[in-house]
Amino acid sequence: MTIPCRKVLVTGAAGFIGFHLAQRLLARGDAVVGIDNLNDYYEVSLKEARLAQLTPDAHFRFIKLDLADREAMAALFAREQFDQVVNLAAQAGVRYSLKNPHAYVDSNMVGFVNVLEGCRYNGVKHLVFASSSSVYGANESMPFSVHDNVDHPLSLYAASKKAGELMAHTYAHLYGLPTTGLRFFTVYGPWYRPDMALFLFTKAMLAGAPIDVFNHGQMQRDFTYIDDIVEGVVRVLDHTATPNREWDGAQPDSGSSRAPYRIYNIGNSKPVALMEFIEALEEALGIKAIKNMLPMQPGDVPATYADVTDLVRDVGYQPATPVREGIVNFVQWYKEYYQV
């Protein structure tokens, strides 16, 4: 049995991205402790099925734990002494934030402070945390750059993610904690979340039901395949954040700092029109979608488009999986998992 090269905490390990990241870290020989509160925001059975893929590995341990539990989180960090931490646990979903705002404060802000405190007091060498393309909000400058101003969020979800970036910077500044935030752009793939469009479309189309197409189809998304996201996370995790010695307070750069703090976009940098996305799904399923055209939903944005210049420069990686290939992979998994 090989000896793990480092111990990594992955929060949200039963979630879509956390599960895939844990698999990748284990495959390269890391020891992974995964935590998740297994809430019922979507079907818990899917989260348990993901965990069942991880638990046979001797270097993986799962602990059911809520980030908002201050005492339990402090005890976890003190006991385990992690080398690195990847915080992926969060209350997700733009639209759900209109219905249950407190869930976003508890998980994305209170919970994240507990992660930051654990890192601060226990010598964590690098904290990587999930932000979101949603932070760009009302910004209409395309492609979205980490150097842009992001002070106009359009949902509480986006605001909570922006708050996380600000809190992380504070800890990098005050305590020298290397922190890197990753703004993910519309991640999709096998083991996907059931509340997301691709999953909802597939389920409806297989059942012969209509799909809801918002903004009358006039939407673009920078769809990013899960394997590309995981590759980006791992490369960033291994590239510990350092201060930007050229940072100028008179012209502050949002993507870096005098502190060991960085922000990166991880996106495919190839926005796809929603109607083209639906066409690709129709081809993969061999089914024509019945479309229910609807107006834009509150809190949503018409387009996302990632500028990944900094990611390419610093870690030498750019996501590249074509959306049609990714959709085929998702459909194959969906049919196998749900036996349809």
Side-chain angles (χ1 to χ4, degrees):
M1 181 181 293
T2 58
I3 299 173
C5 58
R6 74 204 96 189
K7 183 189 285 189
V8 184
L9 171 65
V10 176
T11 75
F16 171 47
I17 301 175
F19 156 68
H20 282 280
L21 177 64
Q23 276 192 321
R24 173 63 187 279
L25 294 174
L26 291 166
R28 76 171 191 173
D30 290 342
V32 176
V33 175
I35 66 172
D36 202 293
N37 66 1
L38 298 178
N39 67 33
D40 61 358
Y41 171 63
Y42 61 82
E43 58 190 71
V44 177
S45 60
L46 179 57
K47 300 177 182 182
E48 292 172 338
R50 293 179 186 133
L51 287 175
Q53 301 289 309
L54 299 172
T55 50
D57 193 304
H59 293 147
F60 178 79
R61 283 185 294 126
F62 175 71
I63 300 170
K64 185 178 180 181
L65 184 60
D66 194 314
L67 261 61
D69 187 334
R70 185 192 305 182
E71 289 75 19
M73 287 292 290
L76 173 76
F77 273 87
R79 181 176 69 248
E80 298 290 346
Q81 294 296 304
F82 301 110
D83 296 304
Q84 299 168 320
V85 174
V86 183
N87 183 54
L88 300 173
Q91 179 56 61
V94 169
R95 288 182 281 280
Y96 186 63
S97 69
L98 305 180
K99 301 176 182 178
N100 190 1
H102 294 287
Y104 292 78
V105 175
D106 292 343
S107 180
N108 302 3
M109 298 171 70
V110 174
F112 190 40
V113 167
N114 292 337
V115 171
L116 289 164
E117 283 286 276
C119 293
R120 169 193 174 188
Y121 284 108
N122 294 280
V124 169
K125 299 178 180 67
H126 193 194
L127 166 63
V128 174
F129 65 96
S131 185
S132 168
S133 61
S134 296
V135 302
Y136 288 103
N139 179 9
E140 296 179 357
S141 176
M142 296 283 181
F144 293 150
S145 168
V146 296
H147 308 291
D148 291 341
N149 179 287
V150 288
D151 288 341
H152 299 87
L154 298 179
S155 68
L156 187 66
Y157 169 68
S160 72
K161 286 298 189 178
K162 171 61 176 174
E165 294 182 0
L166 296 173
M167 291 188 291
H169 179 267
T170 302
Y171 275 69
H173 168 71
L174 291 174
Y175 311 115
L177 171 66
T179 61
T180 301
L182 302 177
R183 294 174 179 167
F184 297 144
F185 280 70
T186 317
V187 192
Y188 73 102
W191 297 96
Y192 202 23
R193 276 174 32 207
D195 62 317
M196 299 299 286
L198 177 58
F199 198 111
L200 293 170
F201 289 172
T202 300
K203 182 178 181 180
M205 289 166 65
L206 287 170
I211 63 173
D212 290 338
V213 181
F214 293 101
N215 202 32
H216 304 284
Q218 301 302 306
M219 307 270 276
Q220 285 190 318
R221 287 291 180 269
D222 200 345
F223 294 101
T224 314
Y225 190 62
I226 183 60
D227 290 355
D228 291 346
I229 288 287
V230 168
E231 179 66 24
V233 173
V234 170
R235 292 204 186 198
V236 168
L237 184 63
D238 292 343
H239 185 82
T240 304
T242 57
N244 178 3
R245 303 300 180 189
E246 298 178 358
W247 195 87
D248 182 1
Q251 296 179 308
D253 168 32
S254 299
S256 64
S257 173
R258 291 194 187 102
Y261 169 86
R262 298 285 169 147
I263 293 288
Y264 297 106
N265 290 329
I266 302 187
N268 211 38
S269 295
K270 295 180 178 65
V272 175
L274 179 57
M275 299 307 292
E276 180 183 340
F277 186 77
I278 293 170
E279 288 175 7
L281 179 57
E282 289 175 329
E283 290 178 10
L285 287 171
I287 299 171
K288 195 71 174 175
I290 305 166
K291 303 177 188 70
N292 180 29
M293 296 299 193
L294 296 170
M296 178 81 86
Q297 293 192 106
D300 215 342
V301 295
T304 63
Y305 179 4
D307 180 341
V308 294
T309 302
D310 288 38
L311 183 73
V312 174
R313 180 197 66 211
D314 291 349
V315 303
Y317 181 67
Q318 180 169 355
T321 302
V323 71
R324 290 179 183 270
E325 177 183 328
I327 287 176
V328 167
N329 293 344
F330 168 77
V331 167
Q332 181 180 355
W333 167 81
Y334 186 98
K335 289 182 173 180
E336 290 176 358
Y337 183 77
Y338 290 101
Q339 298 182 342
V340 295

